[in-house]
Amino acid sequence: MPSRETSRVGRPVDAETGTRSVDAAALKALSHPLRLRILTQLGSAGRANVKSLAAALEEPTNSVSYHLAQLAQHGLVVPAERPEGAARREKWWALAEAEGLSYRSESAGGPEERAALSGWFSQRAADNVGRALEVEDESLAQERPFGISDVGAWLSPAEAAHVADLLDEALDVLLAALEAHDVREPAPEGHEYYQVMTMLFASNGDVRSSSRTGFFSAERRRADDEAAASSEDEGVQPAD
């Protein structure tokens, strides 16, 4: 029977999906911010050497070399074929898997495993939010779909299951797009690369003060701007 993997919301995924199963040690290796940036750059470039990675990331070559070695030790990056014209002494690297990573749910019970998983997701979330804020104004100007949300609410079991199903439906669209277009290849005509990160869990009654953070999309921001302009024209002061 295939092992169960926690790589999507609402239901388990078989190991045959092509994702790379990682352990707590690999997650610890991934939780370093520079290593995540290296993986992101390799995902964009397809392959790179230490010098080109250091230049793109604006980091010292010895630091990039060290962190590449750590990623290679856990099988997260692998040697790649040198491009035509590259020096023979140069070592090139690529991501080990294009389809992504998965973590075995049955291994996540101990404190070490939970700490590793938390560190990895925390760093990923911080990286994604930072990148999202960098492109917010551009997304608004070009009317691209854009959103950042953090919402907590009391849900019945049926409501929670419905939310999970909706997230799974959205994930099916993303996975189909991944299968249709290799992200290491040039973008298909008329396509933009979108990053999506989801999370759904019962917090055992731990209600956080930050459980209702706004969701901003280009369409909603435009409507808010129009409403604000209308209020100013009518002499209405916005509420504090």
Side-chain angles (χ1 to χ4, degrees):
M1 178 180 294
S3 61
R4 294 160 66 88
E5 312 288 340
T6 52
S7 59
R8 55 186 303 160
V9 177
R11 60 179 185 267
V13 179
D14 292 341
E16 285 83 356
T17 55
T19 56
R20 182 179 184 83
S21 180
V22 295
D23 57 13
L27 286 176
K28 283 184 177 180
L30 279 168
S31 64
H32 192 286
L34 179 52
R35 293 172 194 170
L36 279 177
R37 292 174 62 205
I38 289 172
L39 293 178
T40 300
Q41 182 62 25
L42 283 175
S44 300
R47 58 184 172 180
N49 59 17
V50 171
K51 185 177 179 180
S52 61
L53 281 172
L57 300 174
E58 298 183 344
E59 295 285 348
T61 54
N62 60 340
S63 180
V64 171
S65 179
Y66 169 78
H67 290 293
L68 263 175
Q70 295 300 307
L71 292 169
Q73 180 180 338
H74 295 283
L76 299 170
V77 298
V78 294
E81 182 179 352
R82 287 189 300 271
E84 186 176 352
R88 293 182 61 86
R89 67 177 181 275
E90 291 181 347
K91 193 168 187 177
W92 288 70
W93 297 90
L95 297 181
E97 298 288 344
E99 293 83 358
L101 304 173
S102 58
Y103 187 73
R104 294 181 182 275
S105 57
E106 59 266 26
S107 302
E112 181 180 359
E113 288 79 7
R114 288 197 298 270
L117 193 58
S118 176
W120 179 64
F121 269 110
S122 295
Q123 188 56 53
R124 283 284 296 176
D127 182 60
N128 285 335
V129 170
R131 291 163 62 197
L133 293 176
E134 288 176 359
V135 301
E136 179 182 9
D137 290 341
E138 181 183 353
S139 296
L140 179 61
Q142 299 189 14
E143 300 187 356
R144 295 171 176 165
F146 174 90
I148 300 176
S149 62
D150 178 15
V151 180
W154 298 108
L155 299 177
S156 69
E159 289 170 331
H162 180 58
V163 172
D165 287 341
L166 291 175
L167 292 174
D168 262 344
E169 289 177 12
L171 190 55
D172 285 338
V173 175
L174 294 169
L175 293 176
L178 269 178
E179 187 173 343
H181 306 293
D182 190 333
V183 296
R184 296 172 297 182
E185 299 296 331
E189 184 178 356
H191 287 61
E192 296 276 357
Y193 185 85
Y194 282 85
Q195 186 74 37
V196 181
M197 191 169 194
T198 61
M199 192 176 300
L200 176 67
F201 61 95
S203 64
N204 297 324
D206 182 13
V207 180
R208 302 297 177 94
S209 60
S210 61
S211 62
R212 186 172 181 177
T213 303
F215 179 90
F216 306 99
S217 68
E219 182 178 354
R220 185 170 299 184
R221 285 286 297 277
R222 187 170 59 252
D224 290 344
D225 291 342
E226 291 173 354
S230 177
S231 296
E232 290 177 2
D233 292 341
E234 297 173 4
V236 177
Q237 296 297 322
D240 294 331

